[in-house]
Amino acid sequence: MSEDAILIDRFLEMMMAEAGAAKNTIAAYRTDLTLASEALGGRLSVAQGDDLIALAETWADLAGTTVARKAAALRRFYGFLVDDGLRADDPSPALPRPGRGRPLPKTLSVAEVDAIFAVIADRRGRVPADPLDLRLSALIELLYGSGLRASELVSLPRAAVASDRPYLILKGKGGRERLVPISDRARAAVAAWRLHVPKDSAWLFPSGTSHLSRIRLYQLVKALAAMAGIAPERVSPHVLRHAFATHLLAGGADLRALQSMLGHADIATTEIYTHVDASRLVELVNTRHPLVDAGKRRA
């Protein structure tokens, strides 16, 4: 049994004996803590703040109530570890505290995305080519070019992206299938990377005995942002998904089509991007409207 599993068991025993937690609560805590441990590679009990920030990024598509529940379970777990002297520090302040309001999604400007792709192009142009640069290119082309969720991207089968088919069919949240367009650029990037993927691999992005983890994807994206001169805390796989949606909508994409591509069950979820666009319009009015210049002249 792993160290995480042992400590989770001890924590749940305490919850039952001292806090009198109900069976359903214990079951929910066990599920949330076990999933968190798996996402962190069995390092939940020794995780640091940066690890928890990365973990929280993988919750980006979840409802606020679900995020709050998961974060609460981890806070109580770390509180138990500190109280019992099993670790000296408590990293849980790094966990999110979802509010009642729905915040506007973080996104990037077109220029910032261009800077990211310029770094990738520079790395791909090195001689000899590094297969890891080809992998990074394929990952980012699919994230920004198709708006895939991080979990969908890292678990793509080796043959998911076909060179002669400009789309792929994904089974996303709730088992719902959707058709996702794949650009020519993304298909070319995947084809270049796939030459370095073992033919017997089940995954397009293999790692060890499984596929690339969401946490590792998060780390790769952060490092790439830094190389592009963008503050790493502003960029994540989910931010690139948001950029995909925001830029498509600004370019005239239909909201229903965007809903389908993103895999949102409710169009109300997709409508958040109209608010992002609206906030940019307000900024434009406040900074570019002729009356602004007139006011400055009068002043």
Side-chain angles (χ1 to χ4, degrees):
M1 183 179 288
S2 70
E3 184 69 13
D4 274 0
I6 292 170
L7 293 176
I8 289 171
D9 281 347
R10 287 178 60 179
F11 165 67
L12 295 178
E13 287 172 4
M14 180 278 294
M15 288 287 291
M16 287 188 289
E18 298 179 19
K23 288 184 178 180
N24 287 345
T25 300
I26 295 297
Y29 271 42
R30 182 179 295 281
T31 297
D32 288 336
L33 293 172
T34 301
L35 289 174
S37 176
E38 290 173 357
L40 292 170
R43 298 182 61 257
L44 177 63
S45 58
V46 296
Q48 299 301 314
D50 288 346
D51 299 317
L52 298 186
I53 292 172
L55 175 65
E57 282 287 337
T58 69
W59 301 341
D61 275 333
L62 302 178
T65 53
T66 303
V67 173
R69 188 200 72 227
K70 287 177 175 291
L74 266 65
R75 286 192 185 92
R76 295 203 68 165
F77 177 65
Y78 288 119
F80 160 76
L81 294 182
V82 172
D83 290 345
D84 275 30
L86 298 170
R87 67 177 289 167
D89 62 315
D90 182 355
S92 65
L95 292 165
R97 292 182 179 273
R100 292 185 179 181
R102 186 165 194 165
L104 294 180
K106 297 177 184 178
T107 188
L108 299 171
S109 68
V110 173
E112 288 170 326
V113 173
D114 286 344
I116 287 174
F117 279 107
V119 171
I120 292 174
D122 182 62
R123 294 180 68 87
R124 287 194 60 172
R126 296 188 297 183
V127 179
D130 186 338
L132 293 182
D133 291 334
L134 300 179
R135 182 183 71 173
L136 183 63
S137 176
L139 287 166
I140 302 302
E141 288 284 358
L142 289 170
L143 270 176
Y144 176 69
S146 300
L148 299 183
R149 296 182 177 94
S151 57
E152 295 169 339
L153 175 61
V154 297
S155 61
L156 283 175
R158 188 183 188 281
V161 180
S163 59
D164 59 347
R165 190 179 65 209
Y167 64 88
L168 58 83
I169 297 175
L170 287 178
K171 182 172 288 188
K173 295 171 65 177
R176 295 184 297 270
E177 287 190 344
R178 75 180 193 276
L179 185 147
V180 179
I182 303 293
S183 69
D184 291 343
R185 280 178 46 147
R187 282 186 288 150
V190 169
W193 159 243
R194 193 160 42 209
L195 293 174
H196 300 274
V197 179
K199 292 185 178 179
D200 60 351
S201 171
W203 314 106
L204 180 57
F205 301 106
S207 178
T209 59
S210 184
H211 54 69
L212 189 72
S213 71
R214 290 177 295 179
I215 299 296
R216 182 59 183 145
L217 174 63
Y218 176 96
Q219 294 168 341
L220 291 172
V221 170
K222 293 286 184 187
L224 178 60
M227 286 185 278
I230 304 170
E233 62 270 17
R234 291 189 53 228
V235 189
S236 71
H238 210 70
V239 168
L240 287 171
R241 173 173 158 89
H242 286 320
F244 160 82
T246 305
H247 297 167
L248 267 184
L249 195 62
D254 175 78
L255 197 62
R256 287 286 182 186
L258 189 58
Q259 176 193 8
S260 176
M261 285 186 279
L262 291 172
H264 290 160
D266 188 344
I267 197 168
T269 305
T270 317
E271 285 174 345
I272 190 70
Y273 295 104
T274 65
H275 300 311
V276 175
D277 206 38
S279 67
R280 186 167 65 251
L281 292 176
V282 170
E283 181 183 356
L284 286 172
V285 169
N286 288 332
T287 58
R288 305 287 182 85
H289 195 282
L291 288 179
V292 175
D293 292 334
K296 289 179 180 177
R297 289 195 296 272
R298 286 196 295 272

